[in-house]
Amino acid sequence: MQYGGQAVIEGVMMRGPHKTAVAIRKASGEILVEAEPNSSITARYPVLKLPLLRGVVALFESLILGIRYLTFSANQAMEGEEEELSTRDLVLTVAIALAVAVGFFVLLPAGAALLLHNHLSIFWQNVVEGLLRMLLFLGYVAAIGRVKDVQRVFQYHGAEHKVINALEAGEDLRVETVRPYPTLHPRCGTSFLLLVLVLTIVFFSIVGRGGIAWRLASRLVLLPVVAGLAYELLKFTGRHLNVPWVRAIAAPGLWLQKLTTREPDDGMLEVALAALEAAREEEAR
């Protein structure tokens, strides 16, 4: 059974085949754990389980879950303050952030590359666009990684990976046995984003010449296709890391995770273990 998750504010969310759980370290030092049964639109519409489609669905469902649990963890962090964040507040914030991200990482490189149409062929324009998009992304990740609060989130990200690595190795799940495992994992969302960036170079090269409106619209239309394929490739590499050429494909994503994970302390590992234990309750029955 595959488990995955994400770091939240002072905590970790874990999702398994049957349940999703979040564990938060409160200001008092107590670990608060909440869990709920999984529900997916694919249960009602099995056609959405088909390859490519399931990747897009998983992406949106993960985003929705992430918003909910980020709201929950943010409110726990603000405990004792007069006003708490509502789901609406965080949805609006994330929607604005996504719009800015699409503009910055998708539309800006596409428009910038189009300025070179008198000097470069369409192939090289697309290569420049892809390289510019990758540089912007790497610069962004490196910049936010210098923020103290983000560094703590990256530590919880590392804790999540250590716990899942230990689980998949069949380890007895305790802080001292989980601690030696790496903070990198082949199915990480960071690796997914890098695959998306690389695949955009390939897919956007298919699109012929056109004006700025055509170029930008084609990027937006093809983005779900790229995301669906990146999801399938990520799952494939996660299952076949024993094959040398698959390891070569996965390696850049693992290198990039060195920017988005940090070595956690034992308290963070304890939180990640609590989240995983709650997510596995159904499996243990």
Side-chain angles (χ1 to χ4, degrees), residues 108-175:
L108 176 61
L114 189 61
L115 297 176
L116 302 174
H117 70 279
N118 289 329
H119 307 284
L120 298 175
S121 67
I122 187 65
F123 172 79
W124 287 110
Q125 287 179 50
N126 289 321
V127 170
V128 169
E129 176 188 342
L131 292 177
L132 178 58
R133 182 176 293 114
M134 199 166 295
L135 286 174
L136 288 172
F137 176 71
L138 293 175
Y140 169 76
V141 171
I144 65 169
R146 301 177 67 87
V147 179
K148 185 177 179 180
D149 288 342
V150 175
Q151 288 175 1
R152 286 194 63 81
V153 174
F154 284 177
Q155 283 183 280
Y156 276 105
H157 189 194
E160 175 223 330
H161 283 182
K162 279 178 176 279
V163 168
I164 292 178
N165 280 323
L167 171 69
E168 292 177 347
E171 188 67 75
D172 182 23
L173 297 177
R174 292 176 287 112
V175 169

Side-chain angles (χ1 to χ4, degrees), residues 50-57 59 192 196 199 203 222-235:
L50 292 175
L52 296 183
L53 288 178
R54 64 186 178 183
V56 178
V57 172
L59 182 61
F192 169 78
V196 169
L199 289 174
F203 272 75
L222 283 175
L223 197 55
V225 179
V226 172
L229 185 58
Y231 175 86
E232 298 299 331
L233 189 55
L234 187 73
K235 299 285 280 187

Side-chain angles (χ1 to χ4, degrees), residues 197-217:
L197 292 174
V198 173
L199 289 174
T200 56
I201 300 176
V202 178
F203 272 75
F204 294 170
S205 297
I206 300 172
V207 180
R209 292 184 179 275
I212 184 66
W214 165 253
R215 191 178 186 91
L216 299 184

Side-chain angles (χ1 to χ4, degrees), residues 261-275:
T261 62
R262 299 286 189 277
E263 191 67 30
D265 59 35
D266 286 355
M268 294 172 175
L269 292 175
E270 189 180 4
V271 170
L273 284 167

Side-chain angles (χ1 to χ4, degrees), residues 3-215:
Y3 286 80
Q6 71 173 62
V8 294
I9 300 171
E10 292 301 322
V12 172
M13 180 267 281
M14 290 284 189
R15 190 179 191 190
H18 308 293
K19 295 182 73 174
T20 297
V22 63
I24 306 291
R25 176 76 71 179
K26 301 179 70 173
S28 63
E30 172 193 359
I31 298 178
L32 176 65
V33 180
E34 297 280 345
E36 64 178 356
N38 288 340
S39 61
S40 174
I41 193 174
T42 57
R44 283 176 290 173
Y45 304 101
V47 67
L48 296 177
K49 294 180 181 180
L50 292 175
L52 296 183
L53 288 178
R54 64 186 178 183
V56 178
V57 172
L59 182 61
F60 278 101
E61 290 188 340
S62 296
L63 182 61
I64 292 169
L65 276 175
I67 292 172
R68 287 181 54 204
Y69 286 112
L70 276 172
T71 304
F72 178 77
S73 64
N75 286 333
Q76 292 301 317
M78 296 169 63
E79 188 178 25
E81 299 186 17
E82 292 184 3
E83 187 175 352
E84 292 188 344
L85 288 172
S86 67
T87 302
R88 179 183 176 183
D89 294 332
L90 199 55
V91 167
L92 180 60
T93 301
V94 171
I96 294 172
L98 283 174
V100 172
V102 170
F104 190 67
F105 296 116
V106 179
L107 303 185
L108 176 61
L114 189 61
L115 297 176
L116 302 174
H117 70 279
N118 289 329
H119 307 284
L120 298 175
S121 67
I122 187 65
F123 172 79
W124 287 110
Q125 287 179 50
N126 289 321
V127 170
V128 169
E129 176 188 342
L131 292 177
L132 178 58
R133 182 176 293 114
M134 199 166 295
L135 286 174
L136 288 172
F137 176 71
L138 293 175
Y140 169 76
V141 171
I144 65 169
R146 301 177 67 87
V147 179
K148 185 177 179 180
D149 288 342
V150 175
Q151 288 175 1
R152 286 194 63 81
V153 174
F154 284 177
Q155 283 183 280
Y156 276 105
H157 189 194
E160 175 223 330
H161 283 182
K162 279 178 176 279
V163 168
I164 292 178
N165 280 323
L167 171 69
E168 292 177 347
E171 188 67 75
D172 182 23
L173 297 177
R174 292 176 287 112
V175 169
E176 55 269 25
T177 56
V178 167
R179 192 186 301 124
Y181 281 86
T183 60
L184 314 180
H185 193 279
R187 293 196 311 274
C188 176
T190 304
S191 295
F192 169 78
L193 288 175
L194 184 60
L195 286 172
V196 169
L197 292 174
V198 173
L199 289 174
T200 56
I201 300 176
V202 178
F203 272 75
F204 294 170
S205 297
I206 300 172
V207 180
R209 292 184 179 275
I212 184 66
W214 165 253
R215 191 178 186 91

